[in-house]
Amino acid sequence: MVLNSGSRINQKVCFICGAGHSGSTLLGLILGSHQDCFYSGEARKARFMQNTNYPIKRTCNLCGINCPVWKDFITSTHLDLYEQISLKTQKPIVIDSTKNTSWLEEQIATIQKTSSQPFLLFLQRDGRAVINSRTRKYPQKNVKEIIDDWKELINETQELYRHFNGNKIKIKYEHLATNVESVIITLCDFLEIDYQPQMVKYYQHEHHPVGGNNGTKFLIVKAQHKNTEEFLHKVSKRCSDYYQNHGLEITLDLRWRQELDPTVERLFEEIADKENEELKWEV
Ligand SMILES: [Zn+2]
């Protein structure tokens, strides 16, 4: 590719915001399967890539330390992160699923100073499902704290969304999981890119996400016949049973309805019913 000096490779950044455990890894991987898009995972973690103070080296956990994208990635002080990622991957659109709203505000402000366009996508999921995933994943953690954290992040994200003056959209995870094609067509329109039907078969494409849901990534490992045993170590027992028996089709995960402790559900309603009103999925 021949570039004029001063021209950018990066043209768009799509920020998937919302609470963790809301399906952003799945959505990021699907969007990242478009030929012009790269799904970075949680790009905020790129800052720590070459930080040797961490006992475990952070990298794409599909490839490990020899990842062609992140292996020698050092965040630059001259270039914004997204242009750096686009230079590395040669993809003009970067999808970032970092959830931290102060980070998002900073990055949006940075992108707005360039010729790239920021897009904000608020991925919503019924809070009861999110709380269920979190209490399972962190059984030692105080349940009230988990609920308070969720409530705070949802309020901050709503605030970010209200103030964002660019292209923005709200999508429900439950809607995505039950109508994947129509939701992805809507999102391709939103991002002003063509819909490519192979996107929904995200597991057939090459990806290098940082952070995010290991269960969803496990499906890629399985589909591409990589070393599943090695990867299963990273997934909890409950999740590995679930995902090992999981086909590659996209299905709505409503495990919370069987699993969520009724006392936790009542506490959640007391604390965060207002925040969950818009996110509730009752079908
Ligand atoms: Zn990789």
Side-chain angles (χ1 to χ4, degrees):
M1 197 186 294
V2 180
L3 289 166
N4 301 321
S5 62
S7 64
R8 283 172 68 86
I9 293 187
N10 183 271
Q11 291 166 14
K12 297 172 188 175
V13 182
C14 174
F15 297 97
I16 305 179
C17 62
H21 300 275
S22 296
S24 63
T25 302
L26 173 68
L27 179 56
L29 290 167
I30 296 174
L31 296 176
S33 298
H34 186 282
Q35 64 177 11
D36 293 333
C37 299
F38 177 74
Y39 174 50
S40 62
E42 295 165 22
R44 183 170 181 244
K45 292 184 174 154
R47 297 178 304 166
F48 313 118
M49 279 310 169
Q50 309 305 329
N51 189 334
T52 46
N53 294 331
Y54 284 96
I56 303 162
K57 193 171 162 24
R58 286 177 191 240
T59 181
C60 142
N61 47 15
L62 290 173
C63 308
I65 52 167
N66 289 319
C67 176
V69 175
W70 300 111
K71 184 182 163 190
D72 49 7
F73 195 93
I74 299 169
T75 46
S76 157
T77 46
H78 317 291
L79 279 179
D80 62 275
L81 180 58
Y82 304 99
E83 177 63 356
Q84 257 198 290
I85 294 173
S86 289
L87 277 166
K88 191 89 185 175
T89 59
Q90 295 295 305
K91 306 272 185 185
I93 305 169
V94 176
I95 321 287
D96 177 2
S97 63
T98 304
K99 311 295 184 304
N100 181 294
T101 51
S102 340
W103 158 269
L104 290 171
E105 274 167 27
E106 266 172 45
Q107 299 308 310
I108 289 166
T110 305
I111 285 303
Q112 281 170 334
K113 285 184 210 132
T114 70
S115 57
S116 291
Q117 234 185 317
F119 292 77
L120 189 63
L121 192 169
F122 184 178
L123 183 61
Q124 302 181 320
R125 185 181 187 188
D126 193 319
R128 294 168 294 186
V130 176
I131 299 304
N132 182 55
S133 297
R134 292 209 181 152
T135 50
R136 297 275 163 173
K137 193 171 174 189
Y138 308 107
Q140 308 86 338
K141 252 193 150 175
N142 179 291
V143 174
K144 187 176 175 300
E145 235 171 81
I146 293 178
I147 298 172
D148 286 337
D149 288 350
W150 177 87
K151 176 177 166 166
E152 196 186 331
L153 184 58
I154 291 299
N155 282 325
E156 286 172 4
T157 307
Q158 292 283 19
E159 195 66 7
L160 174 81
Y161 189 85
R162 253 194 304 278
H163 288 118
F164 180 75
N165 56 11
N167 294 311
K168 54 186 176 183
I169 193 168
K170 288 178 177 175
I171 291 290
K172 283 195 154 58
Y173 154 77
E174 292 86 352
H175 195 205
L176 168 73
T178 45
N179 297 278
V180 65
E181 279 191 4
S182 74
V183 171
I184 297 305
I185 289 171
T186 303
L187 288 178
C188 286
D189 270 358
F190 166 70
L191 292 170
E192 295 156 15
I193 53 177
D194 59 315
Y195 168 67
Q196 298 175 344
Q198 39 78 16
M199 293 167 75
V200 294
K201 293 190 176 158
Y202 67 90
Y203 43 82
Q204 293 177 345
H205 300 265
E206 187 182 335
H207 296 285
H208 303 281
V210 181
N213 184 308
N214 280 333
T216 309
K217 286 186 281 185
F218 171 68
L219 296 180
I220 299 180
V221 171
K222 195 162 83 166
Q224 298 182 2
H225 308 291
K226 297 191 180 199
N227 189 343
T228 51
E229 280 307 311
E230 191 190 308
F231 198 83
L232 275 173
H233 286 301
K234 298 174 189 159
V235 185
S236 70
K237 175 80 177 73
R238 162 183 172 265
C239 279
S240 73
D241 289 348
Y242 176 74
Y243 284 101
Q244 265 185 312
N245 298 319
H246 198 297
L248 292 166
E249 74 289 354
I250 294 160
T251 50
L252 179 58
D253 177 358
L254 290 174
R255 281 178 285 173
W256 74 269
R257 288 187 181 165
Q258 282 77 47
E259 295 177 356
L260 187 63
D261 182 334
T263 56
V264 174
E265 191 174 347
R266 275 196 296 278
L267 183 66
F268 176 78
E269 278 161 11
E270 271 168 43
I271 298 175
D273 211 27
K274 185 167 76 70
E275 284 71 17
N276 201 39
E277 213 178 293
E278 185 182 309
L279 280 62
K280 241 178 209 174
W281 183 264
E282 302 284 17
V283 183

